Amino acid sequence: MFDAFWDHGIIRRAIDQNKISGSSLNIRDFAEDKHRVTDDRPYGGGSGMVMKPEPLAGAIRAAKRKCPSAKTILLSPQGRVFDQAVANELAAFEGLVLVCGRYEGVDERISHDLIDDEISIGDYVLTGGELAAMVVIDAVTRQIPGTLGGEDAAEKDSFSNGLLEHAHYTRPQVFEGEAVPEILLSGHHKAIENWRLESAMLRTLLKRPDLLKNKSLRKPELDILKKWSRRIEEIIKFYHREHRDRRE
Ligand code: 4GX
């Protein structure tokens, strides 16, 4: 699963440019028995399997030897939920060892002794921690300066300012009868900047109002909300007036 991940796109470029390094260990290589077994039945009975502690401990210690200062993170639905703030926090570490569990999870003694942190990429159940680890690596990598190519791209995108991104347009100027907003063709940088803030504010309000509630708003942002609030009030007032007139 990881070969394709390390081999493509921005992750591949970041490795080639020595901005990050990454590698995967297969826990089966740390099983001592002939059949390289990594799971076993749970004490206490029941269905499902648990990851055996010895191969897991061997794999985690081998990973830590590669990067002794690394923080060791278990991917699991029980972890704190991953978001942009966590991605930024993790980008500050010199290394991460991401432990990917399968089955019902890992022997509890592994969590106690060898895990520093536990992260979930969201409240849903995956078949393994590998995709979760790739999500974390991807989001953390693009926070590392120089990995995105385009100037300061990470500072500009969604969440860095607590808002969703503004709408984007590229050529052609008219696509299936729909034109690009005039202002974007005007060359007025200040007006374009204002339009983009308004676009970002409205998209956030309509698609993710929860993000606005937790955000401290500055004057320009507040003014946009007030402007639209007034417009909506006008429409409601007009509606009431119409209905009053009809009843008479
Ligand atoms: N965000 N899963 C891990 C096995 C498991 C269970 C408990 C350790 C402890 C998931 C998620 C996720 C399914 C990956 C269960 N490993 N991981 N796996 N959501 O659902 O990170």
Side-chain angles (χ1 to χ4, degrees), residues 27-150:
I27 191 189
R28 279 178 80 88
D29 295 336
F30 297 84
E32 306 260 313
D33 65 306
K34 187 174 80 168
H35 298 290
R36 308 207 298 162
V37 172
T38 59
D39 61 335
D40 204 347
R41 287 152 43 234
Y43 272 117
S47 62
M49 298 294 268
V50 178
M51 299 192 66
K52 287 171 69 60
E54 306 96 317
L56 201 46
I60 293 170
R61 290 192 174 113
K64 295 266 303 177
R65 274 197 294 279
K66 283 194 170 201
C67 185
S69 61
K71 179 185 174 88
T72 303
I73 300 170
L74 178 67
L75 285 314
S76 112
Q78 280 97 57
R80 60 193 176 114
V81 179
F82 191 63
D83 64 8
Q84 193 60 52
V86 177
N88 273 305
E89 177 191 321
L90 296 184
F93 285 88
E94 214 168 304
L96 303 173
V97 172
L98 300 171
V99 180
C100 307
R102 289 248 158 176
Y103 323 114
E104 306 309 306
V106 304
D107 187 296
E108 192 63 19
R109 294 163 292 186
I110 289 291
S111 314
H112 286 166
D113 300 343
L114 291 167
I115 302 295
D116 303 319
D117 199 358
E118 201 169 345
I119 285 175
S120 164
I121 61 159
D123 291 337
Y124 39 79
V125 184
L126 304 170
T127 59
E130 293 85 350
L131 282 173
M134 290 184 231
V135 166
V136 169
I137 296 164
D138 189 275
V140 169
T141 297
R142 67 189 298 295
Q143 291 312 111
I144 296 168
T147 55
L148 289 185

Side-chain angles (χ1 to χ4, degrees), residues 156-202:
K156 282 190 169 178
D157 56 30
S158 290
F159 303 117
S160 56
N161 61 0
L163 296 175
L164 299 181
E165 285 214 348
H166 58 74
H168 292 79
Y169 295 88
T170 187
R171 292 182 291 180
Q173 209 184 116
V174 179
F175 173 69
E176 297 185 352
E178 197 178 338
V180 173
E182 202 77 48
I183 193 84
L184 298 179
L185 315 172
S186 71
H188 292 91
H189 299 298
K190 190 68 208 166
I192 291 168
E193 196 186 305
N194 292 340
W195 182 90
R196 285 183 168 163
L197 179 61
E198 183 157 348
S199 171
M201 284 294 294
L202 291 178

Side-chain angles (χ1 to χ4, degrees), residues 29 77 81 191 205 223 241:
D29 295 336
V81 179
L205 178 68
D223 286 346
R241 219 174 294 135

